[in-house]
Amino acid sequence: TDARSNGTLLSFDETFGGPSDHVASSTKLKSIIAFKPKLGLVLDDQTRIYAMAGFATARVSRTVTGLTGTTGDVFLDAGVTGSDSKRMSGYTAGVGAERVIGSGFSLTLELNYFDFGHEDFTYGGTTFGTASTMVQSVKVTYSAATLGMVYRF
């Protein structure tokens, strides 16, 4: 997958006991591996519906970049970037339907929710030219709809 989320965030500076200036943030969900057994109901000769739940793990990358025009305490100087990657694990749940469309072929539609929990990401950077470190606790969730074709031989 190449799912990503971009935005700005406000960090808390423990040294000064207050918020620091905003930084740009980017979260990328690079890969997902899931084990999700299905339990279903056959509606007729050509249609079945099912639910699934199981274990999921993902590779997640976070990047923060200092913004220009900061006015107070800053974690990153303008234009300086820090990044960290983690393998996060959690659960997945979803529902789906499968419909036979021809000899050996069927179409599937699935709706899946993934919750990879919280993980601490650590970034290195510079503040006013001095080395600094930032730690963020990030919760990662993801929803996906997939349309597929199955061939049974």
Side-chain angles (χ1 to χ4, degrees):
T1 183
D2 191 23
R4 61 184 75 209
S5 174
N6 297 311
T8 59
L9 59 95
L10 181 66
S11 299
F12 185 81
D13 188 323
E14 292 181 5
T15 305
F16 294 104
S20 67
D21 285 336
H22 291 81
V23 294
S25 68
S26 174
T27 304
K28 294 180 183 176
L29 194 57
K30 295 187 168 214
S31 65
I32 297 174
I33 299 171
F35 174 73
K36 50 184 185 173
K38 299 176 183 179
L39 180 61
L41 177 65
V42 176
L43 298 179
D44 58 39
D45 289 348
Q46 297 180 326
T47 309
R48 75 179 176 122
I49 57 173
Y50 52 89
M52 58 208 144
F55 170 79
T57 183
R59 188 75 182 155
V60 178
S61 174
R62 292 261 311 149
T63 302
V64 293
T65 304
L67 297 175
T68 57
T70 55
T71 57
D73 179 40
V74 294
F75 159 65
L76 290 174
D77 292 331
V80 173
T81 298
S83 63
D84 191 11
S85 291
K86 301 276 184 183
R87 168 113 359 235
M88 297 178 70
S89 298
Y91 70 90
T92 181
V95 295
E98 184 173 352
R99 174 95 175 155
V100 174
I101 59 171
S103 180
F105 288 94
S106 61
L107 286 177
T108 62
L109 174 64
E110 290 186 1
L111 304 173
N112 291 284
Y113 173 78
F114 298 88
D115 188 326
F116 299 106
H118 289 85
E119 189 70 43
D120 287 342
F121 287 79
T122 304
Y123 317 99
T126 59
T127 304
F128 303 115
T130 303
S132 60
T133 302
M134 175 182 186
V135 177
Q136 292 179 322
S137 181
V138 178
K139 179 173 177 60
V140 177
T141 61
Y142 179 68
S143 297
T146 57
L147 179 63
M149 182 175 286
V150 177
Y151 176 69
R152 287 188 175 78
F153 50 95

